[in-house]
Amino acid sequence: MALPRMAPGWRLAARVALAVFGGYALASAFAMAVPPLLPASLAQAVLAATLAGFVVHVLAVLWTFTQTDLRRASAGLLLPALAMAAFGLLMRGPGA
Amino acid sequence: MNDALSAANAPKQASGAGLRQSMAWLHTWCGLWFSWLLYAVFLTGTLAVFEDPISHWMTPEHHAEEAALEAASAAAVTGTAGADRGQRLARAVAYMAQHHATQDMWEIWPADANGGGELRAYWFDAERRYVMARLDPATGAPLPDAAPAGPVRGTHGGHHFVDFHYTLHAGTAGLWIVAIAAMAALVALVSGVISHRRIFRDFFTFRPHRGARSWLDAHNAVAVLSLPFQLMIAYTGIVFTATLFLPAGVMTHYGTDAGARVRHAAALSSPVPHARTGRAMAVPDLEPFAARAGQLMGQPVRAVVIDHPGDAGMRIGVYGWNDAPGLERRMSATSGMVAFSPEGEVLHVRQPGGAGDGAASFTSQVMGNLHMAGFGGVSMKWLYFLCGLAGTAMMGTGAVLFMVKRRAARTDGFGAWTPRMHRVIEALNVAAIAGLPIACVAYLWANRLLPLSIGQRADWEQGMFFAGWALALLHAFVRPPSRAWRDQLATLAALCLLLPLANALTTGDHLLAELARGDLESVGVEATCMVLGLLAGIAALRVRPRAAVPARAASGRRAAATLDSPGGAS
């Protein structure tokens, strides 16, 4: 193993931080990416995606606690978050 | 759930047992650390269901006035609406044009639902505060604030509970804290369900007088009973200010400046954009707009809102009055609305409680109304009250269960800190579960005992709420846990049971008199308080002093778990 194994307390702190902030990042990216895909006015679509974002956050927290490998859990949250955030920024209209 | 801390650090592969174990760990610790705050939010939120009756009880000087108003509005002949609405609207427009011409939003409330009542104008002042002027309906001249006829009992009334349950009286910071707690509640609820093997069978299981088992059974019963309610309340509580808590969508598509949320909110209810054109245009006679809108939405006119008044790009929005039967029936409490161009073209129609703004807006409005029990009338409010109490009991039993189990099994989750942490958790349990209700009823006592003449009286009452809670916290740390439970439950019982007496001694009013004049709101407050006091009294009697901490023998475990718990499943 390349990295020394963290003490259990630190691993737990890292897991909680990942669940809270990584989950929030995923929820935020979801709220950025989904509106352009919905068949509704932009305002309605943004509200819909934001409302659903809280469900994404809760599921992300639960999922993080089912994962054994913290690095895999980080990748599982942050890579989709990055991809969705990039997509949302690309699809931004001229008004924003 | 025995210290699955290690289980969460290295859960077994996604096998059923590993999943349940990690979810059980999450449920225990997420539940524990948020249980006190959630208990406070849930209990005050449950009281907030009856905000109006509590406010009514707390303002006895206004009872006659309230009854007169009610009689007047019941006696008012409907069908007079619009008789002089046109003149009222014209007078308010003249007032606004003379005094607040430069404001970008004029909002005029011409009359009550029967066509009478006050004429009011609203606008945003230089500090972006929403302000109001009462106008004389006959002349349009601003009216001075009416001086109260009798003595005034300064109070925040039931609104104290409403405000506390979602901001903790701490403004935006409190709003965030409560929202984070609500997210934690969702996590704890879902992980609690997953960690359960036989949720249905457990619901029908109750093993009394068995220490930790009984607490677990009680916790499961109230949790399963109110699970859908709690999921709904936690989620719908967050979505009130969804774009504040999760602003990424708005920031991406509406910009990152301070006005972005406002622009998004405006776009939600008016799909047709409207902006200043720079061309001057007089505000038209508003009565034709009001009359047309009243026909289109089928409601009497509550408010006429003019955006960009005096500009050719102005927009005239007319909003309707909701009536009680309509509100009881509809899932959304949104009134009807019709938007016009200044030339009279209809831009947008939303039927009362309808989805005219769009599916997402409608969903959000329905969720807001679900949270506040805005439909279904009084019986729905009682259902919410009972479900709220069940949810409160779930959080309370969960917090107690945590300690009972650890005392019984003598597990140490905190290493060398275990005795100290357990002492802190015990004290917080007492101060939260028994201490907060004491603070709530102390608030009602303060309403009757504080002199009417002191300045900032309403804030003094609120101060008594926090003072009561602080005393309970102090007491919980000073006294041994089982004594603290008993003292505080007994105090709670006494304060609740004696509240009607305090009322009788200070105002001369009492349950029989309230019943005789049909004042069911006051009866409801005092009777509910006495029932809760009775339950607290029973719980106080069932707390027995804890035996000297027994050795680690199995028999000792059973004894410790059974002896020290505040009253079975109450």
Side-chain angles (χ1 to χ4, degrees), chain A residues 8 11-12 15 24 28 31-32 35-36 42-44 46-48 50-51 53-55 57-58 61-62 65-66 68 88 92 96, chain B residues 8-9 11 13 19 22-23 25-26 183 190 235 238-239 242 245-250 252-254 264 267-268 357-358 360-361:
Chain A
R11 276 176 56 78
L12 179 62
R15 187 183 295 278
Y24 188 72
S28 294
M32 294 166 76
L42 183 64
Q44 296 289 329
V46 166
L47 180 61
T50 303
L51 295 181
F54 297 100
V55 179
H57 195 178
V58 170
V61 170
L62 295 171
F65 276 85
T66 64
T68 320
R92 194 159 44 156
Chain B
N9 280 331
Q13 284 308 327
L19 176 71
S22 58
M23 288 296 112
W25 186 90
L26 190 57
M183 288 299 282
V190 179
Y235 182 65
I238 295 167
V239 304
F245 299 135
L246 194 63
V250 169
T252 305
H253 299 284
Y254 284 86
H264 174 245
L268 279 175
D357 288 347
S361 282

Side-chain angles (χ1 to χ4, degrees), chain B residues 7 27 86 102 105 108 129 179 187 220 251-252 269 287 289 338 341 345 437 462 473 476 507 531 536 559 568:
Chain B
H27 179 74
T102 57
M105 192 279 298
I108 300 164
R129 278 178 314 202
V187 168
N220 287 340
M251 286 166 79
T252 305
S269 59
E287 177 52 27
F289 292 85
V338 183
S341 73
E345 186 196 345
Q462 212 158 275
L473 183 66
T507 69
V531 169

Side-chain angles (χ1 to χ4, degrees), chain B residues 3 77 300 331 333 373 409 412 453-454 456 535 557:
Chain B
D3 270 28
V77 189
M331 287 300 284
D412 74 18
S453 55
I454 54 171
Q456 312 289 316
L535 291 176
R557 282 185 192 183

Side-chain angles (χ1 to χ4, degrees), chain B residues 104 112 157 214 228 232 244 271 279 285 294 307 336 340 433 460 478:
Chain B
D104 202 40
D112 64 21
S214 306
M232 179 277 282
L244 172 72
R279 277 181 294 119
D285 177 14
D307 287 326
F340 297 93
I433 295 168
W460 271 98
V478 172

